[in-house]
Amino acid sequence: MSVNDRIATQIKRFTKITPSNASGDGVFSFTKGNNVIRFSIAEQDAFLLAPETRLQFKINCRDAAATGIAFDGNTNIDAKIGAQAIIQTLTISSRRYATSICEQIHNYNQLVSIAHPALSSTRDLTTQRNHEQLCVGQGILEADQISDSGQDVILNRTSMKNLQRKYIVSTNDAAVSRAGGIDCSIQLYAGMFMSDNIDLRLFGGLEIEITLAPDSNVFNNATATTQYEINNVILNAPLLYKSSAQMMSGVQPSQVSFLTYSSLYNVVQSTNATVTNKVGLRGALSMVQKFVPIAYLNNFDKQLDGVAGSNAFASWNPGVKRLTFHRNGQRFPNEYQIQTNRGDVLPSENLPNSKGSQVLINSLSAFQNYKDVKHTHLTSQNLTDLQENNFFLGVSFDQISGQGIDLSGGTVSTELESALYDPALVPGQTAVADQYLQKPFGVFTFFLNKNTLVIQPNQRIQSIE
């Protein structure tokens, strides 16, 4: 027997998949009509290496009402997520089992705007993710910058904005713009793509659908005529083909476990409010919640430099004073109420977006054990000023077994006492007439769930958890 006969080989190939619904010019845009991108990954004897899958494209940004480079000097995209902002909804489903949606994330870009700052430092975003998705991060890069004067802080922030602006300035000449553009290669942040390799024969192939976000959500400091479009879109999908032994065993009825994110949206209008959701999940692992003033969503006029970091993806602290998590009306998973150092007056500029230590621990634990988080934006030492902090609430439901908890027959809620102050108010200002200062906040809630499916080949998919 030769040496080659004794070696079980598997082949890995990088496949480039073009959209199945591409038009003649291959351009996708929210404004110009084709705002949905679909990819079909065929059923085959191979595993999709999900964590390595990338969406690649060229992005062009322009002002439709002008010619040439016409952007205002402050027009930009979000510093933390960059080109990820163009994805509004991500849907992953089985090709063979057409009615089976495996994962659907609404407000995908809002989820990324929580996860990236939580798990990446400023240097991470300025280096690796800068090349992937054009983000530059927020905050300082060197320890000695902590003592910088206020003027130097402003200069540092301006330099970062200028670095990022070069990516979005392009010509309005259609032929030139589409031939140029800026290359992006973004990692799709989905539960399924954080799980193990996906057996394409077992799942019957995959359908991936991406819905593009409105122009008004992608840019800040822009006008109603600022637009983006993407072209040369491909899905770079690494495939690991099965060995001969794996193919000979065939496809048997199997139990498959993988992670998924699901999303919900609520509005908080009262200083004492309870955000309650009935989610129907059987393996809920964690929950994160992000707060954005309703006036800042899909609104160019509110995305101004007058408020530091103001755009649709900024994470604002609505003035949380007390916080309690509940499951079916009982405190869970924490048996205690969290109290912060927010008072009844507007805080100084060093406090609006800062996170209390217990809030920070719970928030990071929603992604992984907070002791294992080595890189993050969320500590004050990483910021050029504390208004750049990224505030969100989070909690882990199960850090022991990793199987999650059953929320299929009840509710999960967050009880809040908060100030609901408008972020545009002057820090330190006394709240004389609270009824005129309070603003409604939109609450984006995301649940991470562990799913277990039973797949009968050529028949159906059945969820058991």
Side-chain angles (χ1 to χ4, degrees), residues 319-332:
V320 175
K321 303 174 186 178
R322 295 176 180 84
L323 164 68
T324 313
F325 296 106
H326 292 92
R327 174 193 181 190
N328 298 331
Q330 298 181 343
R331 291 184 180 183
F332 182 85

Side-chain angles (χ1 to χ4, degrees), residues 19 21-29 34 58 178 230-233:
N21 65 326
S23 58
D25 57 4
V27 174
F28 294 87
S29 168
N34 198 2
K58 288 188 175 183
R178 290 177 188 171
I230 62 175
N231 60 85
N232 293 354
V233 182

